[in-house]
Amino acid sequence: MVCESWKARLDTYLDGEVPQEELRTFDAHVRNCHSCSADALSRVQLKRAIQVAGKRFTPSAEFRKRIQQNMSPKPRRRFHVGWTLAAAAAVVLVVGTLTLTYLGNRSGRDQVFSEIADLHVATLASSSPVDVISTDRHTVKPWFQGKIPFAFNLPELQNSEFSLLGGRMTYLEQTPGAHLIYDVRKHHISVFIFQERSLPARLSDNALQPGQLSFNAETWSQGGLRYFVIGDASPADIDSLARLFKAAS
């Protein structure tokens, strides 16, 4: 099959290891090939599931205290190999405990970021990326009334290089939100909007860095809403669209 050669390198692509000179061609193929897009989405979801599963264990404060106590035994005059090995093992356990604690704090946030990237990829792979098709913000915005539990403003695009394709409802961890699709120089950009208080993890502004698919992205909170702008457009284009939304809000 024609796509077999592309699919054989999908894992390399998703890990960001495709040479820079080939990346644009690979991005274009994944966006336009339904089979490869669906396969890419499936692999990203598998990678995310593995990452989340590996971060579920968070050691308790009691466990950490017990390990620290084992590291500080009473001094002995005679050197014992067994004690040295036990101390080394304790050091390894403490380092692992601290690492797991750090990853546990990040796991909820990273999962949100991964799901945003998945939603964007799924839209690119869909035969019907939007439910309301219109370039008019005054048509797209009212379509969401009664479908999501909040209101938002869309920016005026006159004198800009962006064009609105339409929008659709979406869900992030069972939280309903709006998904808008924009074009700029043949690049698709997704804008996601959710209620900040309904999201499952605390997020910090500009923390979104989904490098697995070579996307550029920005995120911020404004007026009780959390915005995500993500796509394969340049960082300057992502920033420009984010500024338009910030001004509109």
Side-chain angles (χ1 to χ4, degrees), residues 7-74:
K7 291 186 177 182
R9 301 184 62 196
L10 269 181
D11 285 324
T12 303
Y13 170 65
L14 297 176
D15 291 336
E17 298 176 357
V18 173
Q20 190 64 35
E21 59 273 14
E22 300 178 23
L23 185 58
R24 186 181 299 273
T25 302
F26 219 116
D27 282 340
H29 177 79
V30 172
R31 289 198 307 272
N32 296 312
C33 175
H34 176 77
S35 177
C36 287
S37 295
D39 198 353
L41 175 60
S42 176
R43 297 189 192 199
V44 168
Q45 290 174 332
L46 177 61
K47 289 175 181 288
R48 188 188 68 202
I50 293 174
Q51 290 173 349
V52 172
K55 299 172 184 177
R56 288 180 178 174
F57 174 71
T58 303
S60 64
E62 181 182 353
F63 177 77
R64 187 183 298 107
K65 181 179 180 180
R66 187 165 66 251
I67 293 300
Q68 291 173 338
Q69 289 174 342
N70 290 338
M71 290 180 60
S72 304
K74 295 180 180 180

Side-chain angles (χ1 to χ4, degrees), residues 14 42 51 60-61 98 145 157 164 166 185 195-196 203 236 240:
L14 297 176
S42 176
Q51 290 173 349
S60 64
L98 295 176
Q145 292 179 1
L157 301 179
L164 174 64
R185 291 184 294 277
Q195 281 185 307
E196 179 82 19
L203 305 172
S240 295

